[in-house]
Amino acid sequence: MTTATTASPRRNTVSPPMRRRRSKTAKWSALFLSPAMIVIGVFTVIPMLMTIWISLNKWSMFTSITDMTFVGLDNYTRLLGDASRMQAIANTGVYVGLSVLITIPLALLIALLLYFPKLKGKGVVRTLLFATYVIPTIAIVIIWGNIYSPGYGPLSAMVSAIGLTPPGWLSDPQWALLSLVIFNVWQMLGYYVILLIAGLTQINEELYEAARIDGAGLVRQTWSITIPLLRPSLVFVILMTFVNSIQVFDPIYLLTQGGPANSTNVVGFEIQRSAFQYGMAGESSALAVSLFLMIVAIGGVLGIIMKGRKR
Amino acid sequence: MKKSVLAATGLGIVAAMTLSGCAGPAESGSGSGAQEITFLTHWGPDQVAMLEAAGDAFTAEHPDIKLTVQSVPFGNLLSTLRTQGTSANGPTIVGAYDAWLPELVRDGLAARAPGDVADDVTANWPSGVVTAASNGGDLYGVPNEIDLYALNYNTALFDAAGISEAPADWDALVDDAAKLTTGDQQGIGFITGWNSGVVHPFLSLLASNGGTFLNEEGTASNLTSDEAIETAELYETLVKAGSTDTSKSTANANTTGPYLDNFVNDKTGMLIMANWWESSLKDAMSDRFSEIATAPIPVGPSGTESSSISYSWMTIVNSKADDAKQDAAWQFLSYLNGPDSGENGSSAMGDILISMGIMPTRSSDIEAHADTLETPFLSTYVDALDAATPFPTVLGGPAATDALQVQLEALLNGQVDAKTAMENAARDVDAALAAAQQ
C-alpha cells in the first residue's frame, strides 16, 4: 500500500520519475474505471438520489416529473401512522431474523458434515443442495405452492400421516410467514453450504493434526479451530442471508400477495404495491429509503460486532 | 497531452453510448403509415385466440393496421398496465376494471374517447355502464363486461344435507352452512388472497343488509354503521361455528387456486362468486357442472332486498401512444364492439365474453345472446342487475379495497372480532382515501 500522499512526511523521498509513473498509472486507472463509474452513477447513484427526492414529494410516477408536489417528510410521517405498512416493516424483521437464525446453523452443520473426509456420496449431496439455488424462483414457487396446498399437498399429507392436523400453511396468518421462511431456507441453503465448504477448505489441516496430538476431540476441534478460522466465510454468509431475506419479494408476490390479513406483507412487496398498484411513488420511495436505512444500520451493527470480536 | 485527449474522448464515447441507451429505442409504427397496435388483456388462451381472430378479420379490412395480443394473469394486469402503459411503445389497448379508471385518468394513462366513439357508446350501451366508463363527464373506454356476485351452491351436497332450497336470508345461510359442514367439507367458503374476491362478497352481503361501503361523496367509509357491523358479525358467527375454513379458500394469481379446487371437488357447499368464473367451473367439472346452482345474495336482518355488488370492465386506449396509433386503436375497438364483427348480430367482443360466461353490456349483444343469458347459472346474475349496487369508482379505491381485505381476512381467521375489524377497516380505508384524494 502506498503512503505517498500530499500529507505524507515521506513525500520528498519519492523520486520525480516515480511520481510521473504514479501519475500515469492514475490516469489509466481513471480511464479504465470511468465506464463502470458512469454506469454506476447513471443506474445506481442518480436513481438513489432521485428516490430520496421523490420520497419528499407527492407524485404518482406515471405523470410528468413537473407534477410533483413537495410535501417534506409527510410521506415518512404517514408511514409511521400506517398500521399496515408498519406491520410490513415488522414482518420483514421477523422474516430476516428467522431466516438468519435457521439458515446459518443449518448451513454450518451441513457444511461440516459434507466436509467430513470419510463421508460417501457427498458430491451428489452437494450438487443436489446447490440445485435448489440454480432453479429459477418462479419454478420453485409453483412447486412450493403445490407442496403447501391444503388439499393435495404432500406436506399436509405427511403431517396428517403422523396423526397431526396440518396447519393452513399459506392461509393461516400464524403460519404463512413461517412457511415462506421455510421456503427461503430450502432455496438458499445449498448456496450457503457451498460457500462454507469453500471456507473450510482454506483451513490448514496441520492445525487439526496438532490438536489431535494434544488430545482434542471432534467437538473441541470444531469449536476451537473450525469456527474461529471460518469466521470470514461465516460473516459473508450471514451478510448474504441478511441482504437476500430483507429484499424478499418473489414468493410474496406469487404466493400470498401479502396476505392473509397482511401477515406476509413485507417492505419489498409494499414498495411495489404502493408504486404500481396505487400510483403513490412518494410513499413507495419513502419505504424504499427506510428499507435502505435499515440495511445500512443493521449491516453497520453487524460490521461493528464482527470487528469487535476480531480485536 | 495525447493521452489526456484519448482519455477524454473515451469518456465522451462511453457517456454518449450510455445516454443514448437511456433514450430508448425508436418508436415503431408511429406516424401515419402502417400501425401495429397491442391489446393487453388477462384473458385465457381460448379468448386470446378469439381476439386474435377478430384482429385478423379487422386487418383483412384494414391492411394498414395489425393487432398483437398480450396476455398476463389477472393479478399482474394493473402493474403491467402501469409500467408498460407509460411508454409510447406500451400496449395501445388495455382491458381495464372500472375501479382503476379514476387513477388511470389522473395519471394520464387513459385517452379520452373521440366524439364518434362516445356517441356510439352513449347510443348503444345502458347508461349505467357508460357512467362507469366515464370520468368527469368524459368517456374513456368502450364498456365490455359487467359482473355481479351471487350465491353459488352444490346441489348434490345440498341434497345430501337434506336442504331443499338455497338460503334466502342470513339465518337460513348460517343454518345451511352448519348442515353442510361435515368432515373435510366446509359449509361456505370465503375467498382470501385476492382483494376484489374478498371485498365484493362482503359488500354484496352488506348491500343486502341495507348498508354501503363508502359515503355518498366517496370520501370516507361507512363501515362502522350498524349494517356493516352486522355483516361482519355474520362472518364471525360462521367462523365460530366452524362453517368456513380459510385453508380451503386461498386464491392464486389467476384468482382460483384452492378456492376453486375445493368447490369443484365437493369440499365447499356454498360460496359467493361472480358470473365470470362459469367457464372455470365448466372446465373443471365437465358434466358435473350441472350440480352447481346459483341464487341471489341472502338478505340481512336490516335489509329489504337482495343486492349484489356490480362492476364493469372496459377497453381503454393508451394516451401515451401517438395520435395515429390511438386512431387505429379506436377504429379497432369500434369494429370489435360493433354488431357486424361477431356471430348472429353479436359483436366479436360479445362472443368472447359469452364464451367465458360473462355478460356483455352492448344492448344488441344482450339481445343476440338472450338464450345463453337465460341458462340457470347466468339467469340469476341477469335478474340481479336491476337491484345491483355499483362498486364505487373513486380515487384511492384499490388501496381502500386492500385495506378492507386485510381486516376481513383477519376476521375470517379469528384474529379480531367483528366490531374491531370494522373499526380498523374504517380507519385504514379512510386513510387510504384521504391519501389518494388530498
mmCIF file with all atom_site columns, all heavy atoms in Angstrom, chain A residues 123-145:
data_model
loop_
_atom_site.group_PDB
_atom_site.id
_atom_site.type_symbol
_atom_site.label_atom_id
_atom_site.label_alt_id
_atom_site.label_comp_id
_atom_site.label_asym_id
_atom_site.label_entity_id
_atom_site.label_seq_id
_atom_site.pdbx_PDB_ins_code
_atom_site.Cartn_x
_atom_site.Cartn_y
_atom_site.Cartn_z
_atom_site.occupancy
_atom_site.B_iso_or_equiv
_atom_site.pdbx_formal_charge
_atom_site.auth_seq_id
_atom_site.auth_comp_id
_atom_site.auth_asym_id
_atom_site.auth_atom_id
_atom_site.pdbx_PDB_model_num
ATOM 1   N N   . GLY A 1 123 ? -20.450 -35.647 -2.907  1.00 0.00 ? 123 GLY A N   1
ATOM 2   C CA  . GLY A 1 123 ? -20.507 -34.854 -4.149  1.00 0.00 ? 123 GLY A CA  1
ATOM 3   C C   . GLY A 1 123 ? -21.926 -34.761 -4.685  1.00 0.00 ? 123 GLY A C   1
ATOM 4   O O   . GLY A 1 123 ? -22.385 -33.692 -5.110  1.00 0.00 ? 123 GLY A O   1
ATOM 5   N N   . VAL A 1 124 ? -22.633 -35.877 -4.631  1.00 0.00 ? 124 VAL A N   1
ATOM 6   C CA  . VAL A 1 124 ? -24.022 -35.907 -5.107  1.00 0.00 ? 124 VAL A CA  1
ATOM 7   C C   . VAL A 1 124 ? -24.899 -35.002 -4.244  1.00 0.00 ? 124 VAL A C   1
ATOM 8   O O   . VAL A 1 124 ? -25.712 -34.222 -4.743  1.00 0.00 ? 124 VAL A O   1
ATOM 9   C CB  . VAL A 1 124 ? -24.563 -37.362 -5.084  1.00 0.00 ? 124 VAL A CB  1
ATOM 10  C CG1 . VAL A 1 124 ? -26.031 -37.396 -5.494  1.00 0.00 ? 124 VAL A CG1 1
ATOM 11  C CG2 . VAL A 1 124 ? -23.734 -38.245 -5.996  1.00 0.00 ? 124 VAL A CG2 1
ATOM 12  N N   . VAL A 1 125 ? -24.674 -35.118 -2.915  1.00 0.00 ? 125 VAL A N   1
ATOM 13  C CA  . VAL A 1 125 ? -25.479 -34.298 -1.988  1.00 0.00 ? 125 VAL A CA  1
ATOM 14  C C   . VAL A 1 125 ? -25.218 -32.814 -2.228  1.00 0.00 ? 125 VAL A C   1
ATOM 15  O O   . VAL A 1 125 ? -26.137 -31.997 -2.248  1.00 0.00 ? 125 VAL A O   1
ATOM 16  C CB  . VAL A 1 125 ? -25.168 -34.689 -0.516  1.00 0.00 ? 125 VAL A CB  1
ATOM 17  C CG1 . VAL A 1 125 ? -25.978 -33.814 0.440   1.00 0.00 ? 125 VAL A CG1 1
ATOM 18  C CG2 . VAL A 1 125 ? -25.500 -36.143 -0.275  1.00 0.00 ? 125 VAL A CG2 1
ATOM 19  N N   . ARG A 1 126 ? -23.951 -32.451 -2.414  1.00 0.00 ? 126 ARG A N   1
ATOM 20  C CA  . ARG A 1 126 ? -23.604 -31.044 -2.675  1.00 0.00 ? 126 ARG A CA  1
ATOM 21  C C   . ARG A 1 126 ? -24.308 -30.550 -3.935  1.00 0.00 ? 126 ARG A C   1
ATOM 22  O O   . ARG A 1 126 ? -24.846 -29.447 -3.966  1.00 0.00 ? 126 ARG A O   1
ATOM 23  C CB  . ARG A 1 126 ? -22.082 -30.901 -2.857  1.00 0.00 ? 126 ARG A CB  1
ATOM 24  C CG  . ARG A 1 126 ? -21.312 -30.964 -1.586  1.00 0.00 ? 126 ARG A CG  1
ATOM 25  C CD  . ARG A 1 126 ? -19.835 -30.753 -1.901  1.00 0.00 ? 126 ARG A CD  1
ATOM 26  N NE  . ARG A 1 126 ? -18.989 -31.149 -0.776  1.00 0.00 ? 126 ARG A NE  1
ATOM 27  C CZ  . ARG A 1 126 ? -17.673 -31.049 -0.772  1.00 0.00 ? 126 ARG A CZ  1
ATOM 28  N NH1 . ARG A 1 126 ? -17.034 -30.570 -1.820  1.00 0.00 ? 126 ARG A NH1 1
ATOM 29  N NH2 . ARG A 1 126 ? -16.968 -31.416 0.277   1.00 0.00 ? 126 ARG A NH2 1
ATOM 30  N N   . THR A 1 127 ? -24.281 -31.382 -4.979  1.00 0.00 ? 127 THR A N   1
ATOM 31  C CA  . THR A 1 127 ? -24.909 -30.985 -6.249  1.00 0.00 ? 127 THR A CA  1
ATOM 32  C C   . THR A 1 127 ? -26.408 -30.778 -6.058  1.00 0.00 ? 127 THR A C   1
ATOM 33  O O   . THR A 1 127 ? -26.981 -29.782 -6.529  1.00 0.00 ? 127 THR A O   1
ATOM 34  C CB  . THR A 1 127 ? -24.679 -32.075 -7.312  1.00 0.00 ? 127 THR A CB  1
ATOM 35  O OG1 . THR A 1 127 ? -23.282 -32.324 -7.398  1.00 0.00 ? 127 THR A OG1 1
ATOM 36  C CG2 . THR A 1 127 ? -25.198 -31.637 -8.674  1.00 0.00 ? 127 THR A CG2 1
ATOM 37  N N   . LEU A 1 128 ? -27.029 -31.732 -5.345  1.00 0.00 ? 128 LEU A N   1
ATOM 38  C CA  . LEU A 1 128 ? -28.476 -31.621 -5.129  1.00 0.00 ? 128 LEU A CA  1
ATOM 39  C C   . LEU A 1 128 ? -28.811 -30.373 -4.318  1.00 0.00 ? 128 LEU A C   1
ATOM 40  O O   . LEU A 1 128 ? -29.779 -29.663 -4.610  1.00 0.00 ? 128 LEU A O   1
ATOM 41  C CB  . LEU A 1 128 ? -29.000 -32.869 -4.409  1.00 0.00 ? 128 LEU A CB  1
ATOM 42  C CG  . LEU A 1 128 ? -29.058 -34.145 -5.248  1.00 0.00 ? 128 LEU A CG  1
ATOM 43  C CD1 . LEU A 1 128 ? -29.439 -35.338 -4.383  1.00 0.00 ? 128 LEU A CD1 1
ATOM 44  C CD2 . LEU A 1 128 ? -30.062 -33.993 -6.395  1.00 0.00 ? 128 LEU A CD2 1
ATOM 45  N N   . LEU A 1 129 ? -27.986 -30.118 -3.296  1.00 0.00 ? 129 LEU A N   1
ATOM 46  C CA  . LEU A 1 129 ? -28.230 -28.940 -2.463  1.00 0.00 ? 129 LEU A CA  1
ATOM 47  C C   . LEU A 1 129 ? -28.114 -27.655 -3.288  1.00 0.00 ? 129 LEU A C   1
ATOM 48  O O   . LEU A 1 129 ? -28.930 -26.739 -3.168  1.00 0.00 ? 129 LEU A O   1
ATOM 49  C CB  . LEU A 1 129 ? -27.226 -28.889 -1.312  1.00 0.00 ? 129 LEU A CB  1
ATOM 50  C CG  . LEU A 1 129 ? -27.594 -29.637 -0.031  1.00 0.00 ? 129 LEU A CG  1
ATOM 51  C CD1 . LEU A 1 129 ? -26.414 -29.649 0.923   1.00 0.00 ? 129 LEU A CD1 1
ATOM 52  C CD2 . LEU A 1 129 ? -28.784 -28.975 0.646   1.00 0.00 ? 129 LEU A CD2 1
ATOM 53  N N   . PHE A 1 130 ? -27.100 -27.605 -4.129  1.00 0.00 ? 130 PHE A N   1
ATOM 54  C CA  . PHE A 1 130 ? -26.873 -26.389 -4.909  1.00 0.00 ? 130 PHE A CA  1
ATOM 55  C C   . PHE A 1 130 ? -27.942 -26.213 -5.990  1.00 0.00 ? 130 PHE A C   1
ATOM 56  O O   . PHE A 1 130 ? -28.227 -25.090 -6.424  1.00 0.00 ? 130 PHE A O   1
ATOM 57  C CB  . PHE A 1 130 ? -25.472 -26.420 -5.544  1.00 0.00 ? 130 PHE A CB  1
ATOM 58  C CG  . PHE A 1 130 ? -25.007 -25.078 -6.016  1.00 0.00 ? 130 PHE A CG  1
ATOM 59  C CD1 . PHE A 1 130 ? -24.731 -24.065 -5.103  1.00 0.00 ? 130 PHE A CD1 1
ATOM 60  C CD2 . PHE A 1 130 ? -24.848 -24.812 -7.374  1.00 0.00 ? 130 PHE A CD2 1
ATOM 61  C CE1 . PHE A 1 130 ? -24.302 -22.819 -5.532  1.00 0.00 ? 130 PHE A CE1 1
ATOM 62  C CE2 . PHE A 1 130 ? -24.417 -23.568 -7.803  1.00 0.00 ? 130 PHE A CE2 1
ATOM 63  C CZ  . PHE A 1 130 ? -24.135 -22.569 -6.884  1.00 0.00 ? 130 PHE A CZ  1
ATOM 64  N N   . ALA A 1 131 ? -28.547 -27.316 -6.414  1.00 0.00 ? 131 ALA A N   1
ATOM 65  C CA  . ALA A 1 131 ? -29.556 -27.254 -7.478  1.00 0.00 ? 131 ALA A CA  1
ATOM 66  C C   . ALA A 1 131 ? -30.731 -26.365 -7.085  1.00 0.00 ? 131 ALA A C   1
ATOM 67  O O   . ALA A 1 131 ? -31.309 -25.669 -7.922  1.00 0.00 ? 131 ALA A O   1
ATOM 68  C CB  . ALA A 1 131 ? -30.055 -28.655 -7.806  1.00 0.00 ? 131 ALA A CB  1
ATOM 69  N N   . THR A 1 132 ? -31.069 -26.349 -5.800  1.00 0.00 ? 132 THR A N   1
ATOM 70  C CA  . THR A 1 132 ? -32.217 -25.531 -5.378  1.00 0.00 ? 132 THR A CA  1
ATOM 71  C C   . THR A 1 132 ? -31.957 -24.054 -5.620  1.00 0.00 ? 132 THR A C   1
ATOM 72  O O   . THR A 1 132 ? -32.886 -23.274 -5.812  1.00 0.00 ? 132 THR A O   1
ATOM 73  C CB  . THR A 1 132 ? -32.513 -25.734 -3.876  1.00 0.00 ? 132 THR A CB  1
ATOM 74  O OG1 . THR A 1 132 ? -31.388 -25.299 -3.121  1.00 0.00 ? 132 THR A OG1 1
ATOM 75  C CG2 . THR A 1 132 ? -32.822 -27.183 -3.576  1.00 0.00 ? 132 THR A CG2 1
ATOM 76  N N   . TYR A 1 133 ? -30.663 -23.679 -5.595  1.00 0.00 ? 133 TYR A N   1
ATOM 77  C CA  . TYR A 1 133 ? -30.303 -22.273 -5.814  1.00 0.00 ? 133 TYR A CA  1
ATOM 78  C C   . TYR A 1 133 ? -30.314 -21.927 -7.293  1.00 0.00 ? 133 TYR A C   1
ATOM 79  O O   . TYR A 1 133 ? -30.568 -20.794 -7.680  1.00 0.00 ? 133 TYR A O   1
ATOM 80  C CB  . TYR A 1 133 ? -28.917 -22.017 -5.209  1.00 0.00 ? 133 TYR A CB  1
ATOM 81  C CG  . TYR A 1 133 ? -28.405 -20.614 -5.425  1.00 0.00 ? 133 TYR A CG  1
ATOM 82  C CD1 . TYR A 1 133 ? -28.982 -19.530 -4.766  1.00 0.00 ? 133 TYR A CD1 1
ATOM 83  C CD2 . TYR A 1 133 ? -27.332 -20.363 -6.287  1.00 0.00 ? 133 TYR A CD2 1
ATOM 84  C CE1 . TYR A 1 133 ? -28.516 -18.243 -4.967  1.00 0.00 ? 133 TYR A CE1 1
ATOM 85  C CE2 . TYR A 1 133 ? -26.868 -19.081 -6.489  1.00 0.00 ? 133 TYR A CE2 1
ATOM 86  C CZ  . TYR A 1 133 ? -27.456 -18.026 -5.828  1.00 0.00 ? 133 TYR A CZ  1
ATOM 87  O OH  . TYR A 1 133 ? -26.996 -16.756 -6.029  1.00 0.00 ? 133 TYR A OH  1
ATOM 88  N N   . VAL A 1 134 ? -30.055 -22.927 -8.121  1.00 0.00 ? 134 VAL A N   1
ATOM 89  C CA  . VAL A 1 134 ? -29.915 -22.687 -9.562  1.00 0.00 ? 134 VAL A CA  1
ATOM 90  C C   . VAL A 1 134 ? -31.280 -22.613 -10.264 1.00 0.00 ? 134 VAL A C   1
ATOM 91  O O   . VAL A 1 134 ? -31.467 -21.862 -11.215 1.00 0.00 ? 134 VAL A O   1
ATOM 92  C CB  . VAL A 1 134 ? -29.046 -23.805 -10.199 1.00 0.00 ? 134 VAL A CB  1
ATOM 93  C CG1 . VAL A 1 134 ? -28.937 -23.622 -11.700 1.00 0.00 ? 134 VAL A CG1 1
ATOM 94  C CG2 . VAL A 1 134 ? -27.672 -23.814 -9.574  1.00 0.00 ? 134 VAL A CG2 1
ATOM 95  N N   . ILE A 1 135 ? -32.242 -23.373 -9.758  1.00 0.00 ? 135 ILE A N   1
ATOM 96  C CA  . ILE A 1 135 ? -33.568 -23.396 -10.407 1.00 0.00 ? 135 ILE A CA  1
ATOM 97  C C   . ILE A 1 135 ? -34.219 -22.016 -10.276 1.00 0.00 ? 135 ILE A C   1
ATOM 98  O O   . ILE A 1 135 ? -34.167 -21.410 -9.201  1.00 0.00 ? 135 ILE A O   1
ATOM 99  C CB  . ILE A 1 135 ? -34.479 -24.462 -9.740  1.00 0.00 ? 135 ILE A CB  1
ATOM 100 C CG1 . ILE A 1 135 ? -33.836 -25.846 -9.865  1.00 0.00 ? 135 ILE A CG1 1
ATOM 101 C CG2 . ILE A 1 135 ? -35.857 -24.483 -10.366 1.00 0.00 ? 135 ILE A CG2 1
ATOM 102 C CD1 . ILE A 1 135 ? -34.505 -26.899 -9.010  1.00 0.00 ? 135 ILE A CD1 1
ATOM 103 N N   . PRO A 1 136 ? -34.859 -21.511 -11.339 1.00 0.00 ? 136 PRO A N   1
ATOM 104 C CA  . PRO A 1 136 ? -35.499 -20.198 -11.260 1.00 0.00 ? 136 PRO A CA  1
ATOM 105 C C   . PRO A 1 136 ? -36.565 -20.144 -10.157 1.00 0.00 ? 136 PRO A C   1
ATOM 106 O O   . PRO A 1 136 ? -37.300 -21.123 -9.946  1.00 0.00 ? 136 PRO A O   1
ATOM 107 C CB  . PRO A 1 136 ? -36.151 -20.036 -12.634 1.00 0.00 ? 136 PRO A CB  1
ATOM 108 C CG  . PRO A 1 136 ? -35.424 -20.959 -13.523 1.00 0.00 ? 136 PRO A CG  1
ATOM 109 C CD  . PRO A 1 136 ? -34.964 -22.091 -12.683 1.00 0.00 ? 136 PRO A CD  1
ATOM 110 N N   . THR A 1 137 ? -36.617 -19.010 -9.481  1.00 0.00 ? 137 THR A N   1
ATOM 111 C CA  . THR A 1 137 ? -37.537 -18.872 -8.337  1.00 0.00 ? 137 THR A CA  1
ATOM 112 C C   . THR A 1 137 ? -38.980 -19.135 -8.742  1.00 0.00 ? 137 THR A C   1
ATOM 113 O O   . THR A 1 137 ? -39.734 -19.758 -7.998  1.00 0.00 ? 137 THR A O   1
ATOM 114 C CB  . THR A 1 137 ? -37.409 -17.460 -7.744  1.00 0.00 ? 137 THR A CB  1
ATOM 115 O OG1 . THR A 1 137 ? -36.062 -17.263 -7.357  1.00 0.00 ? 137 THR A OG1 1
ATOM 116 C CG2 . THR A 1 137 ? -38.294 -17.294 -6.521  1.00 0.00 ? 137 THR A CG2 1
ATOM 117 N N   . ILE A 1 138 ? -39.366 -18.686 -9.934  1.00 0.00 ? 138 ILE A N   1
ATOM 118 C CA  . ILE A 1 138 ? -40.759 -18.852 -10.361 1.00 0.00 ? 138 ILE A CA  1
ATOM 119 C C   . ILE A 1 138 ? -41.143 -20.334 -10.373 1.00 0.00 ? 138 ILE A C   1
ATOM 120 O O   . ILE A 1 138 ? -42.240 -20.703 -9.940  1.00 0.00 ? 138 ILE A O   1
ATOM 121 C CB  . ILE A 1 138 ? -40.997 -18.181 -11.747 1.00 0.00 ? 138 ILE A CB  1
ATOM 122 C CG1 . ILE A 1 138 ? -42.418 -18.391 -12.261 1.00 0.00 ? 138 ILE A CG1 1
ATOM 123 C CG2 . ILE A 1 138 ? -40.029 -18.664 -12.795 1.00 0.00 ? 138 ILE A CG2 1
ATOM 124 C CD1 . ILE A 1 138 ? -43.440 -17.593 -11.578 1.00 0.00 ? 138 ILE A CD1 1
ATOM 125 N N   . ALA A 1 139 ? -40.203 -21.172 -10.846 1.00 0.00 ? 139 ALA A N   1
ATOM 126 C CA  . ALA A 1 139 ? -40.490 -22.613 -10.899 1.00 0.00 ? 139 ALA A CA  1
ATOM 127 C C   . ALA A 1 139 ? -40.611 -23.180 -9.498  1.00 0.00 ? 139 ALA A C   1
ATOM 128 O O   . ALA A 1 139 ? -41.514 -23.970 -9.194  1.00 0.00 ? 139 ALA A O   1
ATOM 129 C CB  . ALA A 1 139 ? -39.388 -23.333 -11.676 1.00 0.00 ? 139 ALA A CB  1
ATOM 130 N N   . ILE A 1 140 ? -39.692 -22.754 -8.620  1.00 0.00 ? 140 ILE A N   1
ATOM 131 C CA  . ILE A 1 140 ? -39.709 -23.269 -7.242  1.00 0.00 ? 140 ILE A CA  1
ATOM 132 C C   . ILE A 1 140 ? -40.979 -22.813 -6.532  1.00 0.00 ? 140 ILE A C   1
ATOM 133 O O   . ILE A 1 140 ? -41.579 -23.566 -5.762  1.00 0.00 ? 140 ILE A O   1
ATOM 134 C CB  . ILE A 1 140 ? -38.459 -22.789 -6.479  1.00 0.00 ? 140 ILE A CB  1
ATOM 135 C CG1 . ILE A 1 140 ? -37.211 -23.372 -7.123  1.00 0.00 ? 140 ILE A CG1 1
ATOM 136 C CG2 . ILE A 1 140 ? -38.533 -23.219 -5.026  1.00 0.00 ? 140 ILE A CG2 1
ATOM 137 C CD1 . ILE A 1 140 ? -35.931 -22.954 -6.462  1.00 0.00 ? 140 ILE A CD1 1
ATOM 138 N N   . VAL A 1 141 ? -41.385 -21.568 -6.807  1.00 0.00 ? 141 VAL A N   1
ATOM 139 C CA  . VAL A 1 141 ? -42.588 -21.048 -6.148  1.00 0.00 ? 141 VAL A CA  1
ATOM 140 C C   . VAL A 1 141 ? -43.810 -21.875 -6.550  1.00 0.00 ? 141 VAL A C   1
ATOM 141 O O   . VAL A 1 141 ? -44.659 -22.211 -5.713  1.00 0.00 ? 141 VAL A O   1
ATOM 142 C CB  . VAL A 1 141 ? -42.788 -19.560 -6.509  1.00 0.00 ? 141 VAL A CB  1
ATOM 143 C CG1 . VAL A 1 141 ? -44.194 -19.116 -6.163  1.00 0.00 ? 141 VAL A CG1 1
ATOM 144 C CG2 . VAL A 1 141 ? -41.787 -18.694 -5.763  1.00 0.00 ? 141 VAL A CG2 1
ATOM 145 N N   . ILE A 1 142 ? -43.895 -22.227 -7.827  1.00 0.00 ? 142 ILE A N   1
ATOM 146 C CA  . ILE A 1 142 ? -45.034 -23.032 -8.279  1.00 0.00 ? 142 ILE A CA  1
ATOM 147 C C   . ILE A 1 142 ? -45.024 -24.392 -7.576  1.00 0.00 ? 142 ILE A C   1
ATOM 148 O O   . ILE A 1 142 ? -46.049 -24.879 -7.099  1.00 0.00 ? 142 ILE A O   1
ATOM 149 C CB  . ILE A 1 142 ? -44.993 -23.202 -9.816  1.00 0.00 ? 142 ILE A CB  1
ATOM 150 C CG1 . ILE A 1 142 ? -45.280 -21.856 -10.484 1.00 0.00 ? 142 ILE A CG1 1
ATOM 151 C CG2 . ILE A 1 142 ? -46.000 -24.252 -10.279 1.00 0.00 ? 142 ILE A CG2 1
ATOM 152 C CD1 . ILE A 1 142 ? -45.013 -21.818 -11.973 1.00 0.00 ? 142 ILE A CD1 1
ATOM 153 N N   . ILE A 1 143 ? -43.826 -24.971 -7.489  1.00 0.00 ? 143 ILE A N   1
ATOM 154 C CA  . ILE A 1 143 ? -43.714 -26.273 -6.818  1.00 0.00 ? 143 ILE A CA  1
ATOM 155 C C   . ILE A 1 143 ? -44.138 -26.152 -5.343  1.00 0.00 ? 143 ILE A C   1
ATOM 156 O O   . ILE A 1 143 ? -44.925 -26.945 -4.840  1.00 0.00 ? 143 ILE A O   1
ATOM 157 C CB  . ILE A 1 143 ? -42.265 -26.807 -6.917  1.00 0.00 ? 143 ILE A CB  1
ATOM 158 C CG1 . ILE A 1 143 ? -41.938 -27.130 -8.382  1.00 0.00 ? 143 ILE A CG1 1
ATOM 159 C CG2 . ILE A 1 143 ? -42.064 -28.028 -6.033  1.00 0.00 ? 143 ILE A CG2 1
ATOM 160 C CD1 . ILE A 1 143 ? -40.461 -27.341 -8.647  1.00 0.00 ? 143 ILE A CD1 1
ATOM 161 N N   . TRP A 1 144 ? -43.626 -25.128 -4.676  1.00 0.00 ? 144 TRP A N   1
ATOM 162 C CA  . TRP A 1 144 ? -43.939 -24.977 -3.255  1.00 0.00 ? 144 TRP A CA  1
ATOM 163 C C   . TRP A 1 144 ? -45.402 -24.578 -3.034  1.00 0.00 ? 144 TRP A C   1
ATOM 164 O O   . TRP A 1 144 ? -45.973 -24.895 -1.990  1.00 0.00 ? 144 TRP A O   1
ATOM 165 C CB  . TRP A 1 144 ? -42.978 -23.988 -2.599  1.00 0.00 ? 144 TRP A CB  1
ATOM 166 C CG  . TRP A 1 144 ? -41.734 -24.703 -2.170  1.00 0.00 ? 144 TRP A CG  1
ATOM 167 C CD1 . TRP A 1 144 ? -40.668 -25.018 -2.969  1.00 0.00 ? 144 TRP A CD1 1
ATOM 168 C CD2 . TRP A 1 144 ? -41.452 -25.252 -0.886  1.00 0.00 ? 144 TRP A CD2 1
ATOM 169 N NE1 . TRP A 1 144 ? -39.741 -25.722 -2.255  1.00 0.00 ? 144 TRP A NE1 1
ATOM 170 C CE2 . TRP A 1 144 ? -40.183 -25.876 -0.967  1.00 0.00 ? 144 TRP A CE2 1
ATOM 171 C CE3 . TRP A 1 144 ? -42.125 -25.285 0.321   1.00 0.00 ? 144 TRP A CE3 1
ATOM 172 C CZ2 . TRP A 1 144 ? -39.600 -26.522 0.122   1.00 0.00 ? 144 TRP A CZ2 1
ATOM 173 C CZ3 . TRP A 1 144 ? -41.533 -25.921 1.414   1.00 0.00 ? 144 TRP A CZ3 1
ATOM 174 C CH2 . TRP A 1 144 ? -40.290 -26.528 1.304   1.00 0.00 ? 144 TRP A CH2 1
ATOM 175 N N   . GLY A 1 145 ? -45.987 -23.903 -3.994  1.00 0.00 ? 145 GLY A N   1
ATOM 176 C CA  . GLY A 1 145 ? -47.418 -23.614 -3.896  1.00 0.00 ? 145 GLY A CA  1
ATOM 177 C C   . GLY A 1 145 ? -48.207 -24.904 -3.815  1.00 0.00 ? 145 GLY A C   1
ATOM 178 O O   . GLY A 1 145 ? -49.182 -25.019 -3.072  1.00 0.00 ? 145 GLY A O   1
#
